[in-house]
Amino acid sequence: MIEESVLSRTLHRALARGGDFAEVFAEDRRSSSATFDDGKVEELRSGRERGAGVRVVRGETTGYAHTADLSESGLGEAAEAAAAAASSGAPGATIVPLTRRAARAPHDVKVLPEGVEKARKVDLLTRADEAARAEGDAVRQVTASYADGRRRILVANSDGLLTEDDQVRTRFMVSCVAVGDTGMQTGMEAPGYTVGFEYFDEHAPEDIAQIAAARALSKLNARPAPSGKVPVVLKRGAGGVLFHEACGHGLEADLVGRDASVFRGRVGERVASPLVTLVDDGGLAREWGAYAIDDEGAPAQRNVLIKDGVLTDYMWDLVRGRKQGRASTGNGRRETYQHLPMVRMTNTFLETGEDDPEDIIRQTPYGLYCVALGGGQVNTATGDFVFGITEAYMIEDGQITEPVRAAQLIGNGPETLLGVDAVGRDFDTWAGTCGKDGQGVPVSSGQPTLRIRELTVGGTAA
Amino acid sequence: MSAGSARDLLEIARGVAAMAGPGEQVEAYVLRSSETDVKVFDGAVESLAVAEVDGVGVRLLLDQRQGYAWAGSLDPDVVAETVAEARDNAGFGSRDESLGLPDRADVDAVIAPELDLWREALLAVSAGEKVALALEVEAATRAADARVRGVESASYGDGAVEVAVASSLGIEATTRRTMCSVASFAMAGEGDETQTGYGFSVGRTFADLDVAAAARDAAERSTRLLGARQPASRRLPVILDPLVTRSLLGLLGAALSGEAVLKGRSMFVGRDGEEVAATNVTLVDDPTLVEAYGAATHDGEGVPTRRVDLILDGRLQGFLHNVYTARRSGARTTGSAVRGFKSTPAVGARALHLRPGPKSPDAILAAVPEALYVQSVSGLHSGTDPVSGDFSVGAEGLMVRDGELAEPVREITIASTLQRMLLDVVEVGNDLTWLPGGSAGVTLLLSDMTMSGV
């Protein structure tokens, strides 16, 4: 993307006014997407974005500037603007000569989406539409969308690091509206993976459409969700986002450093049920949050955050790591070259346990069985989190009975972690976009079927 | 920040429009924005980022088929490639008789308002002054109350955005606006307990910002939750803080978009002309109001904006439209196309607000024997469904007893349906507050919601 000599000279300009560290992050992104709605392909869309950001760190202060002009003069101007923003006047750090470091991709992309004929992408949409409508006359609206993206990044810094990555992601989404006597209900399914067009070798548009349609149809008969505290069983995959919210964010070193996490100062302590082992792994092949290197050039790695209920470590990026004299854990991410990196999750999951998932339901006299979730939110300083259930059923006398309408679950992170009392031996993941400080990045979360002793369900039934 | 005039952007947009081939309609949406973002922590600058973003989005129609392409660059070669890509993409869209760019009749239907939304003074503010303001709000938040033990984040942000739209049908428009804000997120409490509160101030230029008010709000909102407990589940009247009402209006605005209605993705489908709310509810989107932060002279397709009455005295009047949704619905565009350069025009509200009622927030509170005062909500998007209307969100706030704010509560949800909530509006406050985003805040009293707790 940029010549080595230009990168070196840009780093020198960045540190010319002082500073401890400088970095050039360059990115070249291409994307294509298409939406099918109401029987028509709305349009095929393509996008392209290319640029670089220069970061200068001095003491506690970071200066940042970016440019869409990757020429030496464009980069130089960004370097000077970042230097001015972090300006001090004192002499800067020495720049270590750049050494190229190869990064190992978690997954070899077999079919680059940009090489696939556009007509083939559009054809997938029609197939999904037909499959969803075939699920029943009550399915009135079907929206299907296809999206692929390729993101090539380059990181060079004053520590001598020079590394690159090529990230390819593909996602297919189907959303349905079903109409019945009790009104309208929606159902959605949107699996996403860090893979190329070979995605469709394993995920047929028809299957995704059927799941979405079935979800909308099942809710037509739903009764209001209960109100108050109930035991909650989370089906495999559905509840990973609960752990993402309940404790994942609170284990991000930037929030811990600001004293804005209930998990601050608790490494080595028991913070969860002994059944809980929580891992964040950016190198998990194919998963939506996977990559070879993070957006600061650190290789993705497997980080055990909670081991058998004991807090083992936080997630770190380069700047917070440097302050503590330790390495990044490969969790420094940014949405685009226009953003500063910060500590972010990748693929966050709870490890499997030993219980039979069906036994977990059988051994629950009364509770809520959550099959699909719609995302959540946490206040890391208080630990209080919410997440929305989009498909759930009552459990009565150990049996799954009636569907319930959408509702919010609310809980407190530390209390919820201690309340995990059964963990299954199955496993699945869920793809989503995680938002923090206005930046969205692709993440996945996962878990086996498990039970939480009690959570507050925000329904309207007494 | 560079001094702005969107003239050069309009030249680029005209250049794109001129690339239309025989039978083609071509529209360019060209944007330039410059932003500053300052974050401070513990009396020191954590980060200072300066950003300038340019981009172009090209919509191309041929034979009633549409294609789209965008690029984050205004380099002439990139712009030309983007037009070619949009042309290629158009071949894969479905034929749709309603597709098309705005024509003269769409644009001439109303006269664009004259709005001065650009403050040259903001462009002259130095980075040092911006940093100082962020440090000031952090210090003021700490000083406001001894129980504030820290500030999780204190920040200053500003932006200047210029846009030009031009099409091969001769439609042209330019808009530009500046905005800045200062915000503080306070943490109160010692030991095991922490409560948080948010405070901010927004303006078109630097001098509009009220640091003291932002700090005071953050401190008050965090400290008044100290000692909060989870209450027992029950049904009760609810008073929504203006910030919460603003979020609620955002959901309603999405359901009132002609796009959502056409796609069957709105609880208002088929309810045009019906009583959908209590008679004291009048909901209007009016981007011609200069005091609204979402004010604009033209929409994302270059059509003049106008006042749109959505609900009058409880009765649904109609929906927001862009050119496409209007043509499909047999209506006229309401100048409600919203977009960035990375997407085709969607439909959205810019200045959605409730007609204020006669009572002050204090008077509303004073008349209520028992209620829940909701200070903030969470999970608004995961817990509400604009199609079924199901509404269930996390909340924190204070109980109201005998007309006064009483003990704080946390870890609760409030639930109802959006349909029910509109009918349950008892009072709309007189405290209409313009806030960033597409809708305004006001205090709201609803007669009945389910609060879930212990």
Side-chain angles (χ1 to χ4, degrees), chain B residues 136-259:
Chain B
E136 191 185 329
V137 78
E138 190 195 37
T141 306
R142 284 175 180 276
D145 194 305
R147 294 169 294 166
V148 172
R149 71 164 162 83
V151 178
E152 181 177 333
S153 65
S155 59
Y156 166 86
D158 63 31
V161 181
E162 301 161 80
V163 172
V165 180
S167 82
S168 58
L169 300 186
I171 305 308
E172 289 187 355
T174 57
T175 57
R176 55 180 196 158
R177 61 181 187 275
T178 55
M179 194 149 82
C180 56
S181 65
V182 64
S184 178
F185 195 62
M187 296 188 290
E190 294 292 336
D192 280 351
E193 187 183 12
T194 299
Q195 299 296 344
T196 58
Y198 184 59
F200 65 92
S201 172
V202 276
R204 292 253 172 237
T205 189
F206 206 63
D208 297 341
L209 298 177
D210 187 341
V211 169
R216 188 187 60 231
D217 285 354
E220 189 194 351
R221 286 170 161 262
S222 60
T223 53
R224 72 180 180 184
L225 291 180
L226 285 170
R229 301 229 183 278
Q230 192 177 29
S233 303
R234 61 187 182 278
R235 293 172 65 152
L236 76 178
V238 163
I239 297 173
L240 303 181
D241 182 271
L243 283 176
V244 177
T245 303
R246 188 254 313 239
S247 303
L248 178 65
L249 293 193
L251 293 172
L252 291 173
L256 288 164
S257 116
E259 190 175 14

Side-chain angles (χ1 to χ4, degrees), chain A residues 60-61, chain B residues 40-46 131 134-136 138-139 142 151 154:
Chain A
E60 301 292 311
T61 302
Chain B
V40 300
F41 180 69
D42 235 353
V45 183
E46 191 174 69
V131 165
L135 290 168
E136 191 185 329
E138 190 195 37
R142 284 175 180 276
V151 178

Side-chain angles (χ1 to χ4, degrees), chain B residues 39 87 106 218 226 247 253 265-266 326 333 339 351 367 373 404:
Chain B
K39 287 192 171 65
R87 182 172 285 132
D106 291 314
L226 285 170
S247 303
R265 294 180 179 279
S266 164
T333 173
R339 66 188 295 189
Y373 182 86
E404 288 185 22

Side-chain angles (χ1 to χ4, degrees), chain B residues 37-120:
Chain B
D37 186 27
V38 182
K39 287 192 171 65
V40 300
F41 180 69
D42 235 353
V45 183
E46 191 174 69
S47 65
L48 169 57
V50 287
E52 298 229 358
V53 176
D54 298 331
V56 60
V58 178
R59 188 154 58 129
L60 187 145
L61 290 107
L62 177 63
D63 192 24
Q64 297 303 118
R65 296 172 197 271
Q66 178 165 291
Y68 195 76
W70 60 267
S73 165
L74 297 181
D75 180 271
D77 291 344
V78 175
V79 173
E81 271 174 44
T82 307
V83 175
E85 186 69 17
R87 182 172 285 132
D88 189 46
N89 286 348
F92 298 92
S94 297
R95 249 185 97 84
D96 184 339
E97 295 307 321
S98 303
L99 283 171
L101 302 178
D103 56 27
R104 280 254 70 93
D106 291 314
V107 171
D108 294 342
V110 298
I111 294 165
E114 287 193 21
L115 297 171
D116 180 14
L117 308 171
W118 182 267
R119 300 287 179 277
E120 210 67 33

Side-chain angles (χ1 to χ4, degrees), chain A residues 146-441:
Chain A
Y146 164 90
D148 64 53
R150 181 177 188 186
R151 177 180 191 243
R152 275 173 288 186
I153 61 168
L154 173 152
V155 182
N157 69 28
S158 55
D159 293 342
L161 177 69
L162 174 59
T163 184
E164 292 179 74
D165 194 11
D166 187 348
Q167 301 163 2
V168 175
R169 291 189 171 87
T170 302
R171 193 169 196 185
F172 197 81
M173 186 276 286
V174 180
S175 164
C176 298
V177 177
V179 180
D181 297 341
T182 51
M184 299 186 286
Q185 289 291 346
T186 54
M188 191 178 108
E189 178 69 2
Y193 294 95
T194 304
V195 300
F197 203 74
E198 67 270 22
Y199 174 102
F200 297 99
D201 296 343
E202 288 181 31
H203 302 275
E206 289 84 356
D207 296 345
I208 297 167
Q210 276 165 10
I211 294 171
R215 199 157 275 161
L217 291 168
S218 84
K219 279 159 60 182
L220 285 179
N221 304 315
R223 69 190 204 200
S227 159
K229 294 208 166 181
V230 297
V232 172
V233 176
L234 299 168
K235 185 182 174 178
R236 68 187 145 83
V241 65
L242 182 145
F243 295 93
H244 175 105
E245 301 296 350
C247 61
H249 282 295
L251 299 177
E252 293 166 344
D254 50 349
L255 295 169
V256 175
R258 279 181 218 155
D259 195 12
S261 167
V262 282
F263 296 102
R264 180 186 167 106
R266 301 197 59 194
V267 170
E269 285 180 30
R270 170 80 191 279
V271 296
S273 148
L275 301 173
V276 171
T277 291
L278 186 76
V279 176
D280 183 86
D281 186 355
L284 201 60
R286 306 168 47 82
E287 286 299 322
W288 189 234
Y291 44 69
I293 55 166
D294 71 4
D295 302 324
E296 301 179 304
Q301 64 184 54
R302 176 186 159 89
N303 298 300
V304 178
L305 306 171
I306 298 173
K307 173 80 179 160
D308 300 329
V310 176
L311 181 58
T312 47
D313 198 5
Y314 305 117
M315 288 167 276
W316 301 83
D317 65 4
L318 193 138
V319 168
R320 280 80 181 186
R322 276 172 87 95
K323 266 201 223 172
Q324 301 293 320
R326 56 169 293 165
S328 159
T329 54
N331 290 93
R333 304 182 67 183
R334 55 184 125 203
E335 184 176 314
T336 72
Y337 75 87
Q338 293 157 13
H339 300 93
L340 264 171
M342 57 183 152
V343 185
R344 303 302 296 265
M345 283 176 263
T346 61
N347 309 300
T348 313
F349 57 93
L350 202 79
E351 293 220 310
T352 52
E354 290 168 1
D355 296 328
D356 179 338
E358 299 202 349
D359 282 348
I360 297 177
I361 294 164
R362 264 197 292 275
Q363 289 157 12
T364 306
Y366 176 81
L368 194 68
Y369 180 58
C370 298
V371 175
L373 299 175
Q377 195 179 329
V378 65
N379 180 335
T380 56
T382 64
D384 288 350
F385 67 90
V386 292
F387 70 110
I389 44 174
T390 53
E391 183 184 0
Y393 301 82
M394 293 309 300
I395 303 175
E396 287 156 311
D397 298 327
Q399 301 287 324
I400 294 167
T401 58
E402 288 175 277
V404 297
R405 298 180 70 136
Q408 197 84 222
L409 291 182
I410 188 163
N412 181 264
E415 287 167 24
T416 302
L417 289 179
L418 290 167
V420 174
D421 65 2
V423 177
R425 53 179 177 243
D426 54 348
F427 185 78
D428 203 359
T429 58
W430 182 85
T433 299
C434 169
K436 178 175 171 184
D437 267 4
Q439 294 190 42
V441 295

Side-chain angles (χ1 to χ4, degrees), chain B residues 49 121 186 206 223 261 266 296 350 366 381 389 452:
Chain B
F206 206 63
T223 53
V261 173
S266 164
R350 282 195 161 77
H381 293 282
S452 297

